[in-house]
Amino acid sequence: MKLVPTRLLATDLCFVTLFSILSIPGTIALRYWLMALLLGLLLSQPPLRNALGRLLRDTPVPRLLGLLSAWLLIQLLFTPYLLEVLRELKSQWLMAMIAFVLGAGVALLRPSARSVFNLVFAALALTLVVLHADYLWQIARHREWPDLIGTTYPRFSNDTYLTSRIMTSKVQVAFFAILAFTITLAELLARALRYRRTLGAPTVAVAAVWLLSISANLLAGARNGLLGETLTLLAASVLVLIFARHIALAWRLLLALVMVGTIAGGATMLDQQDPRWDRAVESVHYGMQPERYTAWTNQNEIPYPKLADGSNIEVSAFERTAFIFAGLQFSLEHPLGIGYTRQAFMHLVGERYGGRPRHAHSGFVEYLVATGWPGLLLWYAMLLATIVAACRWLNRHFDAIGLIGVLLPLGFGGRMITENITRDHMLLLFMLSLGLVYACLKAHDPDTAPHPHHPPR
């Protein structure tokens, strides 16, 4: 598709800037302006507008998103929080759908998947460099390396903490870092197995960004982020074994064993050096009884239970487990949900327990309580449809696009069980990335790629 060079440059700049600043606080107004400008630039092109319309109308993932959107509107008929849900639909769900359309539009605009992911790589590299510059500046000011193991945040000797001033929490750092880890890992695997390259950057640059994605989690003290990267590596090893059929099975097994060995070694090191793991299992057992141990309902007001040896409970493991089991109990009482709102879980906790309830720290629980079982099943069906499309791609040709198409929704769907990542800028960033990857899978197949004037498969 031909596009005026200045308009193409403006579109690329808008996309890279939006992708880079989505995780940065205080940029909401800029975020919305960029989304509006990018949407206008994309929809002003009739061929692209037609191709985008066909993608949204004729392929499974947009259809499932449409069904889920319809269900969220149906909930307006019985939600007890009508005005609140209407506000949330506008500020959360509508913006997420627009982000998906923007990602798909940018992918359809570019002539190849390679040109699309070069933009993504530039945004990832830029943000990670700025993030690390902030961390290193703080370390240089303290003139010492912080203690990275065994504390909630890395801690200096004067009891101050190393925290990001670019992103507001380690959950946000971990979310962005795992996204960068997934994309660069997929590219490095494709290159290591001598398959087609997707990124134009040299291997040393891709490897550097991959290492930065790991160190970002270390510097943030994001234990769950490191776990997410570990599970991504494990999933990638399975994909190599299944789909990299042009490589001899012995070499695939060797690579998988190296990856699994790396995972096992890292897990062993963390288990030995981080004392929180020792208390996690027993803490989870307490969390599975949310009605009996209710400290999770009112932080700092109800004492936490003690472990059998009298030591303090591992609060994170206890609370996250309690949130999940309480959410499952609420879902039995409200199987159709109580309406799409970020406050859904808090409403039900407040009604039953009083106190000062908090969000569930689990996107799975939040969606289950808010959208009910129909909404949650439609959401996971959408993720599964993306994975199926990516597996079909990998079955034809193994490369980074197919790997990302599996690892991105698989990782998000798994991580939302223990992290509340289905809201705000994290939801926008995921939907933007998902739209981009899905459109590449449907329109940029190098074997049968149609011109944007023709319908995608």
Side-chain angles (χ1 to χ4, degrees):
M1 180 182 296
K2 292 184 177 180
L3 194 63
V4 178
T6 54
R7 183 167 293 184
L8 181 60
L9 178 61
T11 302
D12 291 349
L13 286 174
C14 277
F15 175 78
V16 172
T17 305
L18 176 63
F19 202 99
S20 300
I21 62 100
L22 268 176
S23 301
I24 299 175
T27 61
I28 295 178
L30 176 59
R31 177 191 309 169
Y32 289 162
W33 277 108
L34 286 171
M35 292 179 72
L37 179 58
L38 185 55
L39 187 63
L41 287 168
L42 293 173
L43 296 184
S44 65
Q45 302 299 308
L48 176 62
R49 189 167 61 243
N50 294 335
L52 187 57
R54 287 190 291 267
L55 178 80
L56 299 177
R57 184 179 61 249
D58 299 335
T59 59
V61 167
R63 287 177 175 174
L64 287 166
L65 286 173
L67 288 174
L68 178 52
S69 300
W71 169 248
L72 300 183
L73 293 176
I74 291 172
Q75 283 188 303
L76 293 174
L77 299 175
F78 56 82
T79 177
Y81 309 101
L82 179 60
L83 294 180
E84 181 181 314
V85 171
L86 283 171
R87 289 194 300 269
E88 294 284 279
L89 286 173
K90 182 180 71 172
S91 65
Q92 292 282 311
W93 189 251
L94 176 61
M95 299 309 297
M97 295 303 98
I98 292 175
F100 180 87
V101 171
L102 291 177
V106 169
L108 292 173
L109 179 66
R110 306 297 303 188
S112 67
R114 179 172 184 167
S115 61
V116 174
F117 276 90
N118 282 336
L119 295 177
V120 175
F121 181 77
L124 292 172
L126 174 65
T127 306
L128 284 174
V129 166
V130 172
L131 186 70
H132 279 78
D134 172 51
Y135 280 136
L136 293 176
W137 173 252
Q138 294 181 61
I139 292 171
R141 287 184 60 192
H142 283 84
R143 299 182 181 180
E144 66 172 301
W145 194 257
D147 180 12
L148 300 178
I149 303 296
T151 58
T152 302
Y153 286 95
R155 185 170 57 192
F156 295 103
S157 59
N158 62 355
D159 284 336
T160 59
Y161 293 94
L162 177 67
T163 57
S164 174
R165 294 171 296 183
I166 306 301
M167 301 179 188
T168 56
S169 74
K170 60 183 178 182
V171 174
Q172 296 172 348
V173 174
F175 184 86
F176 191 89
I178 291 175
L179 177 60
F181 181 90
T182 300
I183 292 173
T184 51
L185 173 66
E187 178 66 10
L188 290 172
L189 281 175
R191 294 187 184 193
L193 295 171
R194 299 183 181 277
Y195 283 93
R196 181 180 58 247
R197 295 188 175 199
T198 298
L199 299 178
T203 300
V204 65
V206 180
V209 173
W210 181 70
L211 291 173
L212 287 177
S213 70
I214 298 173
S215 65
N217 276 319
L218 285 170
L219 292 171
R223 182 178 54 173
N224 287 333
L226 291 170
L227 179 61
E229 290 178 342
T230 300
L231 293 176
T232 300
L233 192 60
L234 180 61
S237 67
V238 173
L239 294 175
V240 167
L241 283 174
I242 296 174
F243 291 107
R245 290 189 295 270
H246 289 84
I247 305 300
L249 179 60
W251 286 108
R252 281 185 274 158
L253 286 171
L254 178 60
L255 179 61
L257 286 173
V258 169
M259 295 168 71
V260 171
T262 303
I263 294 167
T268 301
M269 182 186 69
L270 287 174
D271 180 62
Q272 292 177 347
Q273 296 189 14
D274 192 338
R276 293 178 295 176
W277 292 109
D278 296 334
R279 308 192 306 270
V281 174
E282 190 175 350
S283 300
V284 166
H285 176 71
Y286 284 111
M288 293 170 65
Q289 306 170 70
E291 292 282 356
R292 180 178 179 184
Y293 303 103
T294 59
W296 61 273
T297 66
N298 200 342
Q299 192 177 33
N300 300 323
E301 296 295 330
I302 300 176
Y304 289 103
K306 295 288 185 178
L307 300 181
D309 61 1
S311 62
N312 292 328
I313 202 167
E314 212 296 285
V315 174
S316 178
F318 164 73
E319 289 190 336
R320 290 177 189 277
T321 306
F323 290 143
I324 291 172
F325 275 78
L328 290 172
Q329 291 177 5
F330 289 147
S331 72
L332 297 178
E333 301 166 7
H334 306 276
L336 299 182
I338 64 171
Y340 182 81
T341 166
R342 287 169 293 178
Q343 312 298 318
F345 182 79
M346 296 171 65
H347 285 314
L348 294 183
V349 173
E351 291 173 6
R352 175 168 297 183
Y353 300 99
R356 293 179 295 175
R358 294 166 292 152
H359 66 81
H361 289 71
S362 166
F364 175 89
V365 170
E366 296 282 356
Y367 268 33
L368 177 57
V369 173
T371 69
W373 286 104
L376 188 71
L377 291 175
L378 283 169
W379 174 258
Y380 274 99
M382 181 274 297
L383 297 179
L384 180 61
T386 306
I387 293 171
V388 169
C391 286
R392 289 174 176 170
W393 174 288
L394 286 172
N395 197 45
R396 292 190 300 272
H397 35 253
F398 187 96
D399 66 1
I401 304 300
L403 288 172
I404 296 166
V406 175
L407 295 175
L408 179 68
L410 181 66
F412 190 89
R415 189 161 178 247
M416 65 182 279
I417 295 175
T418 57
E419 297 280 358
N420 195 9
I421 57 176
T422 51
R423 60 195 295 166
D424 304 321
H425 76 276
M426 289 179 286
L427 177 61
L428 291 182
L429 186 57
F430 172 70
M431 294 302 289
L432 183 69
S433 304
L434 186 73
L436 188 145
V437 173
Y438 186 70
C440 284
L441 292 171
K442 289 298 180 180
H444 287 315
D445 187 331
D447 291 342
T448 58
H451 189 275
H453 286 85
H454 303 299
R457 296 183 314 281

